[in-house]
Amino acid sequence: MAITVAELVAEPQLGLTLLAGSAGSGNRITWAHTSDLPRLWEWVTGGELMMTNGLSIPADAAGQAALAEKLVDAGASALAIGEKMHAPELLPEFLAACERLPLPLINVPYPLPFIAIARTVAEASLLEESRRLRQTARIYDLLRTAGTSEDHLQSLLLGLAAELDADLFVVDRRCLHPWHPDGQPLPDFVQAELAALTGQISLAGKKFQWHRLRDRHVLMMDIPTHANALLVVLPNRDPHPDAVVLLHAATVLGLELSRKVLSLESQHRLAGEFLLQAVDGRLGTAELESRLTAFDVPAQDFLMVSISADDGERLANVHVELWRHGFPAACLRRFNTLHVAVSAAVTNDILIHCAGPEVRIGISSPTSAPGIQRALQESLWALGSAKGNAMNLARYAEGPSWLGLTSFEEGTALVERLLGPIFAYEQSQEGDLIVTLRTYLDTRRSWQKTAAVLFAHRQTVIYRIRKISELTGLDMTETSTLAQLWFALQIHEAMHKGVA
């Protein structure tokens, strides 16, 4: 086992003396580390003897007491200060804090080099290295044994918890929800305390952090390959699990999370192909119900959700986020819009949380398999309403109207009445009337600018606009006509662009 503080102080050749914190003499020292940097506790991974020449020690009483508390919170086993070097006077408040916590405070006699202490700790740790190696081998073997169970991740966590003698939780650092839908939630007191801490830690910051919560040490450490996956460790006893072994445990969990994500991506591709066939009307009711059920979407009570973002890549992981929060989904992305079939039990808050900030979300009425096409039209209409009314989320038939209309039936009727003759003409004749109309309105009715954008002659543009007037029976010089056509174009594009 690793050397204790009492055993180190008792080494006669070192001549160390204990100044305070004798109640912590049984603390085991996993390593000896030298640092004279400010914020000394940031270099602690748990179990270290921190050695300093004194430059890290504040001169004031409050600063010294805070240093002792931060070191204990971070999991340091002891603090050693070089005698006759650069340390300020060690004030009574500092010594009292070390006694209370307790934090063993060791005086290093001048001119004993710190390397002599480090060598003693290292030599005493040779047997510990052998134990660590065997434990690491057992941890990697858990990947094999857990792989034979139906629930790989939970079996792996149980095996790691038994090996480390600690409670383990894998959570999302952004919200502290379990990373896996069947994962164990954090204890209430841990969640409340860590919620404030995770907001202060950037992804590029420290990857390994001990904290002391309600007289119990808690470790937060990143899981490799998953930016927001956080491993929370609550040791059941002292000494804490070895830092190196914990890093191997996090690596093993990272491998298992990667395996799960790969499985989800395979399902995601199949779900996208299915949803494309479904909204195109290529599947019968029986097959729709069977396929929805296969993707864990309730075929008799689900929603279609349309989510729009300026950058469609931001929507790439929405299906994973929904799955993690207990809502498996079938998703189809077209450009910057994601269409999602998901259980009607999903809440607005979950959708906003999973989709992320600065997106627009439109939600259909609850539907069953035969109504999937209508539900998509409803979600697109709701998405248009969300965009038009500057809302994050809108549900169909709820909230404010869009362009003065309350349903996609009204919108479809308006499009058919105003643009139907143009579509019919374009099906029988070659022409770009709709594109010309949209460009003409976007360029503020400028013949010249419209011609430049379309790489067409000015007279060609004039002919097309006159043809639109002839087909619709509308006077293209009237502002009210142009407003109606603009409304119709907005509705048509909102209802078709996301699935084109």
Side-chain angles (χ1 to χ4, degrees):
M1 297 294 289
I3 193 170
T4 66
V5 173
E7 290 168 342
L8 181 66
V9 172
E11 290 287 333
Q13 75 279 11
L14 298 178
L16 305 176
T17 54
L18 191 63
L19 301 178
S22 58
S25 296
N27 292 353
R28 298 195 176 275
I29 301 172
T30 58
W31 198 247
H33 180 64
T34 301
S35 176
D36 278 304
L37 294 172
R39 302 173 67 86
L40 190 60
W41 58 89
E42 292 189 347
W43 310 101
V44 175
T45 60
E48 290 91 349
L49 165 66
M50 298 302 293
M51 301 182 292
T52 177
N53 278 325
L55 295 175
S56 300
I57 310 297
D60 61 295
Q64 291 184 5
L67 171 64
E69 292 175 357
K70 292 287 188 180
L71 284 171
V72 170
D73 288 347
S77 289
L79 173 64
I81 302 176
E83 185 182 53
K84 300 180 182 178
M85 298 298 289
H86 306 290
E89 179 187 357
L90 302 183
L91 300 173
E93 292 84 353
F94 181 41
L95 300 177
C98 291
E99 282 289 343
R100 171 176 52 84
L101 290 168
L103 174 68
L105 181 63
I106 300 171
N107 179 73
V108 181
Y110 180 85
L112 179 71
F114 286 166
I115 189 66
I117 301 173
R119 184 180 292 115
T120 299
V121 172
E123 290 172 352
S125 299
L126 288 177
L127 291 177
E128 181 70 10
E129 287 294 329
S130 177
R131 185 198 64 81
R132 178 189 294 161
L133 182 61
R134 294 194 301 272
Q135 190 175 27
T136 300
R138 292 195 299 270
I139 281 175
Y140 280 100
D141 192 54
L142 286 172
L143 273 177
R144 176 183 61 83
T145 56
T148 61
S149 65
E150 184 175 340
D151 192 341
H152 301 250
L153 181 60
Q154 296 309 309
S155 295
L156 183 58
L157 279 170
L158 288 173
L160 289 171
E163 185 64 49
L164 299 172
D165 193 17
D167 296 326
L168 304 183
F169 304 87
V170 179
V171 299
D172 185 330
R173 70 159 55 243
R174 296 165 296 180
C175 58
L176 298 180
H177 296 161
W179 192 92
H180 191 281
D182 297 327
Q184 293 297 316
L186 288 169
D188 290 341
F189 86 91
V190 176
Q191 175 134 357
E193 297 277 357
L194 291 189
L197 293 173
T198 51
Q200 302 169 8
I201 303 168
S202 68
L203 293 180
K206 188 178 178 184
K207 307 297 184 185
F208 195 103
Q209 293 185 321
W210 283 102
H211 299 277
R212 192 171 183 85
L213 308 179
R214 298 191 183 180
D215 295 325
R216 186 172 181 183
H217 275 108
V218 177
L219 170 70
M220 293 193 302
M221 61 186 302
D222 290 347
I223 294 178
T225 72
H226 292 77
N228 292 306
L230 191 68
L231 173 61
V232 179
V233 182
L234 280 72
N236 291 323
R237 61 180 176 81
D238 289 329
H240 302 152
D242 183 88
V244 174
V245 174
L246 283 169
L247 289 171
H248 285 294
T251 299
V252 166
L253 285 169
L255 292 172
E256 178 59 25
L257 297 192
S258 295
R259 187 200 65 80
K260 187 60 186 177
V261 169
L262 284 174
S263 174
L264 286 174
E265 289 307 311
S266 176
Q267 284 287 95
H268 177 55
R269 287 191 294 273
L270 294 174
E273 294 170 5
F274 153 70
L275 206 54
L276 180 60
Q277 294 175 328
V279 298
D280 283 347
R282 288 182 270 164
L283 301 176
T285 298
E287 188 168 4
L288 282 171
E289 291 178 345
S290 173
R291 299 282 293 278
L292 283 167
T293 302
F295 294 119
D296 294 323
V297 177
Q300 302 302 321
D301 189 23
F302 68 94
L303 304 171
M304 285 301 298
V305 180
S306 294
I307 307 171
S308 176
D310 293 336
D311 180 4
E313 289 302 317
R314 294 173 55 186
L315 304 174
N317 290 318
V318 170
H319 63 290
V320 177
E321 297 296 324
L322 285 168
W323 167 82
R324 286 185 42 252
H325 288 82
F327 293 97
C331 301
L332 171 65
R333 181 155 65 97
R334 283 293 179 265
F335 306 106
N336 292 340
T337 303
L338 182 73
H339 306 293
V340 182
V342 65
S343 168
V346 71
T347 64
N348 292 358
D349 289 343
I350 289 291
L351 286 170
I352 292 172
H353 175 74
C354 292
E358 299 179 6
V359 300
R360 304 293 185 190
I361 303 174
I363 307 172
S364 75
S365 303
T367 189
S368 58
I372 192 168
Q373 290 176 295
R374 176 187 171 88
L376 177 62
Q377 295 295 322
E378 290 181 354
S379 70
L380 285 169
W381 182 270
L383 178 62
S385 177
K387 290 179 177 178
N389 292 287
M391 301 165 61
N392 290 112
L393 179 146
R395 287 183 176 264
Y396 184 73
E398 297 179 14
S401 63
W402 178 39
L403 301 177
L405 306 173
T406 58
S407 69
F408 82 86
E409 288 91 351
E410 292 182 13
T412 301
L414 178 64
V415 171
E416 179 61 28
R417 178 169 60 84
L418 294 176
L419 302 182
I422 303 175
F423 292 135
Y425 176 81
E426 288 192 332
Q427 288 179 353
S428 60
Q429 303 285 334
E430 290 188 6
D432 296 307
L433 299 186
I434 289 293
V435 173
T436 301
L437 175 60
R438 183 190 303 112
T439 307
Y440 178 65
L441 295 175
D442 288 344
T443 57
R444 299 182 181 181
R445 293 172 289 171
S446 168
W447 306 108
Q448 199 66 37
K449 290 180 180 179
T450 303
V453 171
L454 298 176
F455 299 100
H457 194 278
R458 182 172 179 272
Q459 285 302 122
T460 301
V461 173
I462 293 174
Y463 166 78
R464 291 176 182 173
I465 295 300
R466 287 176 178 170
K467 189 64 179 178
I468 291 171
S469 179
E470 176 187 325
L471 291 169
T472 60
L474 298 172
D475 184 351
M476 298 296 289
T477 64
E478 291 288 337
T479 301
S480 60
T481 293
L482 298 175
Q484 290 180 67
L485 290 173
W486 182 83
F487 279 146
L489 280 173
Q490 292 291 107
I491 294 169
H492 172 69
E493 290 182 2
M495 300 293 283
H496 293 88
K497 185 176 180 181
V499 291

